[in-house]
Amino acid sequence: MPKKAKQRGPVNVKAVETLKKRMKPEPVIAQLSETFKALGDPTRTRILLALCDLALCVYDLALLLNMSQSAISHQLGVLRHLKLVKYKRQGRGVYYSLDDEHIRHLLYEGIKHVEE
Amino acid sequence: MPKKAKQRGPVNVKAVETLKKRMKPEPVIAQLSETFKALGDPTRTRILLALCDLALCVYDLALLLNMSQSAISHQLGVLRHLKLVKYKRQGRGVYYSLDDEHIRHLLYEGIKHVEE
DNA sequence: CTTATATATGAATATATGTTCATATATATT
DNA sequence: AATATATATGAACATATATTCATATATAAG
C-alpha cells in the first residue's frame, strides 16, 4: 500500500491548474482593472456621478466640485482616454456625458454595495 | 428693457446649484471610490476574479497568479479591510472568498463593459 | 481682427501605492 | 515540545498619480 502522498501546499494544486486555464486573458484583466481604477478616484467618481444626471461642461464641473478648471480637465482627459465619457462642443463650452449605459450600471451597483 | 444678463460661465449655474444639493454625501462617495480603487489594481482584480469561482487560500492564490506569498497577503489585507472578501481558517490554510454577491455583480458588470 | 472666455496640456511636486525582503505569528504534524 | 508549514506584517524602495502653475490652443463676442 503506497504511502499517502504528502500534500504539497494546503490544497488545490489541481484546482489551481484548472483555474489557470479558465482565467480571463491578460488584456481583458488589464482593461478591467484600468476601468475600475478610473472609477476609483474621488474626483473622477464625483464627476461621473454628476454626469449620471446631466451633461456638463468643464466650467460647470469645476464649479460643482469646487476645484480648479485644470484639475477637472486633467481628470476628464483620463476618463476620455478610457472611453468612459464622450464630449461635444456646444456654444462656448465642451459638454461631457457618460459614454455608455454600462458606466451608469457600474456606479449604481457600487452604490448599492456601499449603501446596503 | 433690461440688458440681457451676461452669461457667466457657459451655462448651468442654476443647474449646478441644484446638482450640488442632490450630490451623494461625502462619506458615501469616499467609500464608493475606495471600493472601485480596490478593484482597480491588476493583482486584486485577478484575486477577486479567481474567488468568483472558488474559495482559495493564500498559498493557492500565490501559485495561481505566480506571485510571492507576501504580495498576495498584502493585497488580501486591503480587500479584507474593505470587506470585499471574507476568510476562514480551514486545515492548514486560510481560505478567502467573496464577501458579498455585489462584488460578483460589480465584476461582471465591468467585464460586460470591457468585452462588449 | 482683437479681445475675452473656455478648455487642454506640459512640467514640477507632493503623496499614495505595490512589491520585496526580513521576520513575526499561528497552526499542523511528528 | 520541537519542527515544518502557512500566513501576516513592518520597513524600505521604486513607481504611479493627482493637483498646481504656467501657458498654449480654440472658439465666441465685440
Side-chain angles (χ1 to χ4, degrees):
Chain A
M1 188 158 146
K3 232 189 332 190
K4 193 161 110 191
K6 200 193 262 174
Q7 206 168 350
R8 271 276 294 132
V11 203
N12 305 322
V13 181
K14 201 160 195 175
V16 165
E17 287 309 313
T18 311
L19 259 182
K20 244 180 191 165
K21 289 170 198 155
R22 289 201 194 155
M23 278 294 260
K24 294 273 176 196
E26 219 280 308
V28 172
I29 293 183
Q31 211 187 326
L32 185 58
S33 61
E34 275 199 21
T35 301
F36 283 126
K37 187 189 295 183
L39 296 168
D41 167 80
T43 299
R44 289 190 296 261
T45 307
R46 294 196 295 160
I47 290 175
L48 291 170
L49 284 176
L51 298 184
C52 273
D53 287 7
L54 181 63
L56 291 168
C57 68
V58 182
Y59 188 98
D60 291 337
L61 282 166
L63 215 64
L64 174 65
L65 306 185
N66 203 32
M67 293 183 65
S68 76
Q69 173 270 317
S70 181
I72 299 294
S73 192
H74 275 294
Q75 297 305 344
L76 283 171
V78 174
L79 297 173
R80 223 168 46 215
H81 190 69
L82 289 171
K83 301 239 169 68
L84 298 182
V85 298
K86 59 188 173 188
Y87 60 99
K88 120 179 115 170
R89 186 133 219 149
Q90 192 177 329
R92 293 200 209 172
V94 175
Y95 282 76
Y96 284 82
S97 53
L98 298 189
D99 180 277
D100 191 302
E101 282 307 302
H102 287 144
I103 316 299
R104 201 186 307 271
H105 289 143
L106 267 174
L107 288 165
Y108 288 165
E109 202 68 42
I111 290 173
K112 257 197 269 175
H113 170 72
V114 163
E115 284 189 336
E116 74 179 354
Chain B
M1 189 157 147
K3 235 192 331 193
K4 195 161 112 192
K6 200 195 264 174
Q7 206 169 349
R8 270 277 294 132
V11 203
N12 304 322
V13 181
K14 201 161 193 173
V16 165
E17 286 310 312
T18 310
L19 261 181
K20 244 179 191 165
K21 289 170 197 155
R22 290 201 194 154
M23 277 295 260
K24 294 275 176 195
E26 218 281 308
V28 172
I29 293 183
Q31 211 187 327
L32 185 58
S33 62
E34 274 198 21
T35 302
F36 283 125
K37 188 190 292 182
L39 296 169
D41 167 80
T43 299
R44 291 191 295 262
T45 306
R46 294 196 296 161
I47 289 175
L48 292 170
L49 285 176
L51 297 184
C52 273
D53 287 8
L54 181 63
L56 291 168
C57 68
V58 183
Y59 189 99
D60 291 337
L61 282 167
L63 216 65
L64 174 65
L65 305 186
N66 203 32
M67 293 183 64
S68 77
Q69 174 271 317
S70 181
I72 299 293
S73 192
H74 275 292
Q75 297 306 344
L76 284 170
V78 174
L79 297 173
R80 224 168 46 216
H81 190 69
L82 289 171
K83 301 239 168 69
L84 299 182
V85 298
K86 59 187 174 188
Y87 59 100
K88 116 179 119 169
R89 185 133 218 147
Q90 192 177 328
R92 292 200 209 173
V94 175
Y95 283 76
Y96 283 84
S97 53
L98 297 189
D99 180 277
D100 192 301
E101 281 307 302
H102 287 143
I103 316 299
R104 200 186 308 270
H105 289 143
L106 267 174
L107 288 165
Y108 288 166
E109 202 69 42
I111 291 173
K112 257 197 270 176
H113 169 72
V114 164
E115 283 190 335
E116 72 179 357

